[in-house]
Amino acid sequence: MIIREDKRHPKCEDDGDFDTSMSRTLTVQVTDSSSLHASENRSVLVQCADEFVCKVLSYPRHVILLPEENYTSTFRIEVEASFLGITQLNVTIGDEVVQPYQLRIVRSNRDEKATLAFSIFIAIFVLIITFMMGTQLEPRRIIGIVRKPIGPTVGFFCQFGLMPTLGFLLAEYGLPADAVSLKLALFAVSTCPGGGKSSFWTIIFGGNLDLSISMTFTQTIAALFMMPLWMGTLGRHFTDAHVRIPFAKLIEGLITLMIPNGCGMVMAHYRPQYIKCISKWIKRLSWAAMIVISAFAIYANYYIFWLITWPIVLCGCALPWLGYLTALFVAMAFKQTFKDCITIAIETGIQNIGW
């Protein structure tokens, strides 16, 4: 017995690929090859292994196997894709179970095009704001941070010492024992450096932008070594499989941060009259950026909300907030200024895991 797609219906690239909210018709061909042909009238049962992912809309409840047709019958099954995921279609003919047919439910082309359009818009928006950030940086203050790197050093300790430890403890004791992939994901997030969003929040909360950019730069460089170190040590507790570190993405993040910042600094040097005007708008645009980015993230990943459980919510929220508070207290213990304490807390708690 075989299952194939009805050729009269539109196909995806792979026969088993469905778009969400899409109905597809599959054809089942049944042949009784046994030497003892049983009843010509066979019952039919069709089920999706995971009914949350797909639904069977229609299929015949019986098939008739006739001798003149070599005990072969063909019928159609209509299946609707409900949610993203991989499942299989189980078909039972009489007492015989047909080999399962794998279904892959993927995002629709419309969703992918909308996501691409939003991504391009956000990338341009972020580049503009990052350029504006560069106009607010002062080389003199950055050189002072380099000469006396107390803030970046405290941030490094919090980012790559405290955060992975917190992430490991939350993953180990806060998530279900059988949720190995979730445990590994939470721990991996805790090893990531601070990202571009941290600079936006630094502006919004009146932190030290020069320190924020300096910490983002140094922590991203350090992540090239620290992420493999943590994943190769404590990460082995969750899996023995090789975990690929996104080195290219880290370097890409550095480039998209430093080039617009550098261009902004050059403009501020040759056109200092614009600095004051830009400083009035940068906070408003940072707020706008965070609202737009958050709205886009919710739209692009709406399906994730159906998979979230309370342990995921609690651990996912606890990690950044514990990072904020712990880093704030550590920075205060090292007698940093309030602006620097805010910046170190933000840089530590916000992980660079994408927009």
Side-chain angles (χ1 to χ4, degrees):
M1 301 180 187
I2 60 173
I3 302 177
R4 64 178 185 274
E5 184 184 2
D6 191 335
K7 302 300 182 182
R8 299 177 303 172
H9 287 70
K11 294 183 65 175
C12 290
E13 185 176 345
D14 294 319
D15 284 349
D17 283 4
F18 283 47
D19 290 348
T20 50
S21 302
M22 174 184 180
S23 296
R24 299 271 295 279
T25 299
L26 303 174
T27 300
V28 180
Q29 187 178 75
V30 183
T31 301
D32 186 356
S33 58
S34 64
S35 57
L36 298 175
H37 299 296
S39 171
E40 295 178 350
N41 194 331
R42 305 283 183 88
S43 62
V44 178
L45 177 63
V46 182
Q47 294 176 315
C48 281
D50 188 346
E51 295 187 351
F52 184 68
V53 174
C54 69
K55 297 177 182 177
V56 178
L57 299 180
S58 65
Y59 66 93
R61 296 302 188 266
H62 295 85
V63 294
I64 299 176
L65 304 178
L66 300 175
E68 55 269 27
E69 295 180 358
N70 296 322
Y71 295 95
T72 298
S73 179
T74 301
F75 62 90
R76 292 185 176 88
I77 304 169
E78 188 175 4
V79 182
E80 181 183 53
S82 304
F83 196 74
L84 300 180
I86 299 176
T87 185
Q88 61 186 26
L89 197 65
N90 297 323
V91 180
T92 304
I93 309 296
D95 297 329
E96 184 177 353
V97 178
V98 181
Q99 182 178 357
Y101 182 75
Q102 187 181 76
L103 301 175
R104 295 176 65 248
I105 314 302
V106 298
R107 300 188 67 177
S108 65
N109 290 332
R110 181 179 61 84
D111 285 345
E112 290 182 355
K113 290 178 180 178
T115 300
L116 178 61
F118 272 116
S119 298
I120 294 173
F121 169 76
I122 287 177
I124 295 173
F125 195 22
V126 169
L127 285 175
I128 292 173
I129 298 178
T130 307
F131 170 81
M132 295 173 69
M133 286 182 192
T135 65
Q136 307 302 302
L137 300 176
E138 292 189 18
R140 176 177 52 82
R141 291 201 297 253
I142 294 176
I143 292 173
I145 293 172
V146 173
R147 289 178 175 174
K148 195 176 181 181
I150 298 177
T153 302
V154 173
F156 176 88
F157 170 74
C158 294
Q159 187 73 70
F160 296 111
L162 291 177
M163 288 299 285
T165 303
L166 291 172
F168 178 82
L169 293 175
L170 287 171
E172 181 67 13
Y173 300 106
L175 294 174
D178 58 344
V180 178
S181 59
L182 288 177
K183 290 174 179 285
L184 180 63
L186 184 63
F187 177 69
V189 166
S190 70
T191 66
C192 293
K197 296 188 297 296
S198 57
S199 298
F200 290 4
W201 288 114
T202 297
I203 293 172
I204 290 170
F205 287 103
N208 185 338
L209 184 59
D210 297 278
L211 177 59
S212 175
I213 298 297
S214 301
M215 289 181 63
T216 297
F217 177 78
T218 55
Q219 288 180 5
T220 304
I221 294 292
L224 298 173
F225 308 96
M226 297 304 297
M227 288 183 69
L229 175 64
W230 279 112
M231 296 307 296
T233 52
L234 287 184
R236 294 291 183 185
H237 178 75
F238 302 114
T239 181
D240 291 328
H242 173 69
V243 178
R244 186 170 61 89
I245 307 299
F247 295 111
K249 287 292 184 182
L250 291 172
I251 295 173
E252 178 184 324
L254 273 179
I255 294 173
T256 55
L257 174 70
M258 302 313 298
I259 291 180
N261 276 165
C263 292
M265 294 176 71
V266 171
M267 196 205 78
H269 177 74
Y270 289 101
R271 294 289 187 272
Q273 64 269 27
Y274 296 136
I275 296 177
K276 189 173 181 180
C277 178
I278 291 175
S279 66
K280 293 179 180 179
W281 283 95
I282 191 169
K283 189 170 185 176
R284 300 172 188 175
L285 288 177
S286 295
W287 268 116
M290 299 315 301
I291 293 172
V292 170
I293 290 170
S294 299
F296 163 68
I298 292 172
Y299 170 78
N301 303 289
Y302 67 92
Y303 56 88
I304 292 178
F305 290 95
W306 297 98
L307 304 175
I308 292 177
T309 60
W310 278 111
I312 296 175
V313 172
L314 294 176
C315 291
C317 293
L319 180 63
W321 279 101
L322 287 174
Y324 297 141
L325 295 174
T326 305
L328 179 65
F329 291 138
V330 171
M332 292 173 65
F334 279 86
K335 299 181 179 179
Q336 299 298 289
T337 65
F338 182 72
K339 290 181 67 173
D340 287 0
C341 289
I342 292 294
T343 304
I344 292 171
I346 291 173
E347 287 289 332
T348 300
I350 295 179
Q351 309 300 117
N352 186 12
I353 54 174
W355 294 99

